[in-house]
């Protein structure tokens, strides 16, 4: 085939000439066997007169070539892995080899369009051998922007805990040996630093927890290969492909009883978060130290992950005994993604490295470019343009100053990379989210700027409407649905804390059809850290005495909380399902305080999983007051839980009956809504639907009742998916 290819207005334009049969073959091959990283949204063609091209070449992109998509970072490909361990290859054991099919992308990009001078590889001039490959269309490294070799590319460096350089001929070997002896190491990866230690050495793991100030939140581990993962966990076919996919996420897998892993890695947890090596450096590390390694984000407790050498040395100096650094700067901090497999499809928990900024197809056109700034915790933002949404990497909790700074900087970077000037900024209704304040400031500063004849507009979106819309977009749903949206907290249209919501509507509008009946949330946010507070509030609402719980709590604290509940002081009304899980966890004696977000609900799920269903607790569905919304009354359920707990029913049994009660209640409420409105499609969203048992039971119950049920597969059900939903609401409002 002869002709050329170039970027043109956000698409790839190819002109080829040749015999008719080979042209057919060419089209077929492009469609069926695209290059490994290609994602073809649409393919169209037409016939042009032949112009007698003599060869095939790549033309330089036009300056106004339009928006160009930038790919996520990609795990080392098989061809590169072959070279890495081939003594005759010139890149033998070179920790930074990559090619057109693999290597860093988003994390090294500083500007658009994507070519080497606008990446953090700019400082590394290609040696003649690398340049020849880069220029050769037949080479795997043709136009591979981050390509490098030992002669011209980045290199490793070893430092001690005080940041002083340690001379070593082979820094990696010294680092691996130290890990093997039980030391804690910090190593620079693709999107940030990891803290690493032997996962099967309980002393090392305990020391890491102590130094990192991390109580019980599980650590992720990295193992050498699939066989090593299978020795520790039960891995089914879908999970195997997920583990080995080029995205290389952390996959939650059911651990084997025999798994040789220190208990401190994931205390009490029936699952392990496992990932496989995804950079050449990781592969070399496991060659030298083949045992499973804890690979947790390089930070202290909940701070954002460190990604710059000097910052890492300073912040992790008190944690790591040894640093393995390199001199390829990371421009975009990007955490590991976390996901799991559920009944044949992914259920994403954190969408970041390897996934972002892969475009998500929209079922409609964005009439004008949109920026959706997301929520506050587990934050992401999204840019919408045409029929695509670009959902950012995970930015962490925006109440952390560092995370907020990264948010601001990365919004600007994405706008530059994807050449998008938003005309609308969508944000949460919550007035105190840092993202809301950003949206307000931005529109206030630029609101008077007339952008192509239009002012920048600001659009507040209710939290649970955004959750519902995010699930709708994933499945291309345009017609009205029932949205079952359960989470911990979101600002309601009436100023209350919502979180146990049945909404009806589409991306444009919603109605609150039903919700958990309000109870007071004593002390506001503090109740999320101390489930016993919600247990007290719910028990008092239900008129149930809870002497066993009271006996476990400091009497003075108990008295104060009982008082503020009774007098409704500092107890904002809430319909939160997350807080109901907390209350039941405390009433069942599972947990009175949490050390990380959602811990009580997660533990309740683990307990329930181990027990077969028998009966379930009662709910009452009320229609009362002036409100049209159905009220779901949890008082009968709370009374039954208290009774069971008093009668020494096991916590696991209580947890199971509770899960089954929620699933049954969802079906009952959806049936009432269907009777009134004729809706039969249900989307499940909100952080509570990270709960696999509840998702499964609910889906099965609804399907038996004749509903079509949709759950998340592309973005997390929790607040990591909010930005996509806000974007959808804004786009629907504009069109
Ligand atoms: Zn490769
Ligand atoms: Zn080179
Ligand atoms: Fe939420």
């Amino acid at each position: 085939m002869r002709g050329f290819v170039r970027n043109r207005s956000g698409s790839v334009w190819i002109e080829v000439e040749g015999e008719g049969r080979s042209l057919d073959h060419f089209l077929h091959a492009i469609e069926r066997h695209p290059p490994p990283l290609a994602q073809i949204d649409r393919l169209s063609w037409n016939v042009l007169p032949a112009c007698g091209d003599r060869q095939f070449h790549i033309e330089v992109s036009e300056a106004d070539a339009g928006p160009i998509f930038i790919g996520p970072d990609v795990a080392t490909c098989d061809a590169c892995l072959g070279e890495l361990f081939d003594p005759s290859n010139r890149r033998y054991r070179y920790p930074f080899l990559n090619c057109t099919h693999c290597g860093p992308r988003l994390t090294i990009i500083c500007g658009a369009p994507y070519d080497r001078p606008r990446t953090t590889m700019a400082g590394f001039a290609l040696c003649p051998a690398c340049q020849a490959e880069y220029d050769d269309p037949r080479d795997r490294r043709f136009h591979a922007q981050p390509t490098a070799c030992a002669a011209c590319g980045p290199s490793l460096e070893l430092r001690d805990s005080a940041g002083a350089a340690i001379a070593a001929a082979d820094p990696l070997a010294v680092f691996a040996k130290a890990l093997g002896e039980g030391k804690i190491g910090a190593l620079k990866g693709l999107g940030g630093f990891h803290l690493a230690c032997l996962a099967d050495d309980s002393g090392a793991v305990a020391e890491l927890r102590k130094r990192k100030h991390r109580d019980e939140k599980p650590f992720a581990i990295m193992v050498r290969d699939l066989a090593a993962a299978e020795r520790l966990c039960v891995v089914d076919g879908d999970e195997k492909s997920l583990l080995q996919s080029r995205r290389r996420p952390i996959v939650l897998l059911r651990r084997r009883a025999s798994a040789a892993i220190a208990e401190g890695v994931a205390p009490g947890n029936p699952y392990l978060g496992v990932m496989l090596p995804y950079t050449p450096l990781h592969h070399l590390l496991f060659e030298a130290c083949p045992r499973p390694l804890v690979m947790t984000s390089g930070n202290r407790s909940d701070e954002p992950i460190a990604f710059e050498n000097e910052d890492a040395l300073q912040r992790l100096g008190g944690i790591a005994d040894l640093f393995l650094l390199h001199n390829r700067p990371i421009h975009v901090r990007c955490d590991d993604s976390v996901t799991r497999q559920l009944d044949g499809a992914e259920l994403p928990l954190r969408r970041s490295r390897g996934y972002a900024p892969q475009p998500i197809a929209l079922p409609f056109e964005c009439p004008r470019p949109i920026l959706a700034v997301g929520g506050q915790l587990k934050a992401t933002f999204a840019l919408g343009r045409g029929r695509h949404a670009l959902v950012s990497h995970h930015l962490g909790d925006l109440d952390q100053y560092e995370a907020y700074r990264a948010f601001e900087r990365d919004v600007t970077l994405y706008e530059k990379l994807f050449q998008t000037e938003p005309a609308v900024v969508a944000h949460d209704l919550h007035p105190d989210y840092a993202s809301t304040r950003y949206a307000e400031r931005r529109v206030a500063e630029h609101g008077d700027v007339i952008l192509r004849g239009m002012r920048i507009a600001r659009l507040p979106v209710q939290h649970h409407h955004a959750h519902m819309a995010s699930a709708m977009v994933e499945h291309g749903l345009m017609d009205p649905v029932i949205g079952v949206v359960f989470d911990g907290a979101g600002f309601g249209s009436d100023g209350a804390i919502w979180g146990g919501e049945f909404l009806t509507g589409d991306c444009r509008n919603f109605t609150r059809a039903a919700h958990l009946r309000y109870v007071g949330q004593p002390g506001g946010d503090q109740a999320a850290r101390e489930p016993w507070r919600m247990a007290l509030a719910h028990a008092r609402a239900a008129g149930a005495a809870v002497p066993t719980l009271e006996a476990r709590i400091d009497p003075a604290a108990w008295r104060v909380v009982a008082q503020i509940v009774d007098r409704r002081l500092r107890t904002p009304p809430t319909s939160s399902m997350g807080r109901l899980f907390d209350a039941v966890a405390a009433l069942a004696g599972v947990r009175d305080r949490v050390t990380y977000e959602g811990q009580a609900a997660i533990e309740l799920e683990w307990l329930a999983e181990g027990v077969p269903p028998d009966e379930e607790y009662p709910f009452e569905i009320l229609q009362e007051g002036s409100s049209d919304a159905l009220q779901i009354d949890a008082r009968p359920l709370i009374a039954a839980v208290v009774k069971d707990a008093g009668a020494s029913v096991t916590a696991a049994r209580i947890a199971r009956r509770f899960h089954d009660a929620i699933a049954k209640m969802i079906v009952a409420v959806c049936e009432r809504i269907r009777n009134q409105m004729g809706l039969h499609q249900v989307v499940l969203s909100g952080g509570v639907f990270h709960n696999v048992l509840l998702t499964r039971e609910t889906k099965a119950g609804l399907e038996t009742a004749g509903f079509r049920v949709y759950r998340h597969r592309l973005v997390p059900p929790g607040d990591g998916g909010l930005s996509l939903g806000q974007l959808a609401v804004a786009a629907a409002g504009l069109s």
Side-chain angles (χ1 to χ4, degrees), residues 554-683:
D554 167 57
W558 184 272
R559 249 193 331 272
V560 169
V561 173
Q563 254 173 29
I564 63 171
V565 167
D566 293 343
R567 295 186 193 161
R568 303 192 180 175
L569 295 168
R570 287 188 291 120
T571 55
T574 183
S575 56
S576 167
M577 181 58 80
R579 297 294 81 80
L580 181 62
F581 268 82
D582 286 353
V584 171
L587 293 173
V590 175
R591 177 163 291 282
D592 300 328
R593 287 180 182 77
V594 298
T595 64
Y596 60 91
E597 200 206 345
Q599 186 180 16
I602 289 169
E603 291 178 357
L604 218 49
E605 180 190 357
W606 297 341
L607 285 167
E609 272 179 343
V611 181
D614 58 350
E615 53 188 80
E616 65 274 325
Y617 296 125
F619 268 106
E620 214 159 333
I621 304 169
L622 313 170
Q623 182 115 49
E624 64 179 20
S626 56
S627 153
D628 288 336
L630 299 170
Q631 314 249 340
I632 302 147
D633 187 351
R635 286 175 297 187
L637 172 139
I638 292 292
V641 171
V642 170
K643 189 163 158 254
D644 270 0
S648 307
V649 174
T650 62
R653 173 57 63 202
I654 294 175
R656 180 75 211 202
R657 289 175 177 172
F658 173 64
H659 276 77
D660 293 338
I662 306 279
K664 199 174 166 195
M665 176 273 285
I666 293 173
V667 176
V669 174
C670 287
E671 281 179 327
R672 298 243 326 222
I673 296 172
R674 180 169 60 186
N675 290 343
Q676 285 172 10
M677 312 189 57
L679 301 175
H680 61 275
Q681 303 199 95
V682 181
V683 301

Side-chain angles (χ1 to χ4, degrees), residues 90-91 125-131 147-153:
R90 72 185 187 89
R91 289 190 179 84
L126 289 169
C127 70
C130 286
Q131 185 72 53
T147 189
C149 74
C152 67

Side-chain angles (χ1 to χ4, degrees), residues 251-429:
V251 183
L252 293 194
L253 299 171
R254 187 163 280 281
R255 79 201 278 176
R256 294 182 190 278
S258 58
I261 288 292
E263 181 52 27
V265 169
N269 197 327
Y271 297 91
L272 282 175
V274 182
M275 60 184 152
L276 298 182
Y278 55 82
T279 68
L281 178 59
H282 295 150
H283 287 284
L284 292 169
L285 182 62
F286 277 96
E287 187 201 34
C289 175
R291 288 157 73 179
L293 294 174
V294 166
M295 278 281 189
T296 186
S297 359
N299 55 10
R300 205 180 282 272
S301 61
D302 289 327
E303 291 170 3
I305 179 171
F307 70 114
E308 284 159 331
N309 289 358
E310 287 314 310
D311 178 52
L313 289 168
Q314 214 159 63
R315 278 165 60 200
L316 308 179
I319 304 176
D321 300 307
L322 208 63
F323 285 84
L324 188 61
L325 307 179
H326 61 71
N327 54 350
R328 183 179 74 202
I330 296 171
H331 191 71
V332 178
R333 176 204 328 252
C334 201
D335 293 72
D336 293 320
S337 293
V338 186
T339 187
R340 71 193 303 172
Q341 196 69 34
L342 173 63
D343 301 331
E346 250 186 281
L347 178 65
L349 307 176
R350 180 166 75 199
R351 183 183 181 274
S352 202
R353 187 213 13 101
Y355 291 74
Q358 184 86 23
I360 294 177
L362 297 172
F364 44 72
E365 183 97 16
C366 293
R368 291 154 73 195
I370 299 167
L371 166 66
V373 295
Q376 172 85 344
L377 304 179
K378 303 181 167 67
T380 61
F381 61 85
L383 280 180
R385 191 191 53 199
R387 293 184 77 92
H388 286 111
L390 300 151
V391 179
S392 78
H393 51 286
H394 165 87
L395 289 145
D397 299 346
L398 298 190
D399 43 16
Q400 297 270 345
Y401 176 66
E402 269 298 313
Y404 179 73
R405 260 191 21 185
F407 164 85
E408 270 195 344
R409 198 196 62 153
D410 293 346
V411 167
T412 310
L413 178 72
Y414 270 55
E415 286 176 7
K416 193 164 77 175
L417 291 182
F418 303 109
Q419 296 168 24
T420 301
E421 289 171 275
V424 177
V425 183
H427 62 86
D428 197 89
L429 266 188

Side-chain angles (χ1 to χ4, degrees), residues 507-520:
C507 287
R508 190 188 300 257
N509 291 308
F510 78 97
T511 307
R512 195 183 193 196
H515 60 88
L516 280 184
R517 189 176 166 275
Y518 287 146
V519 294

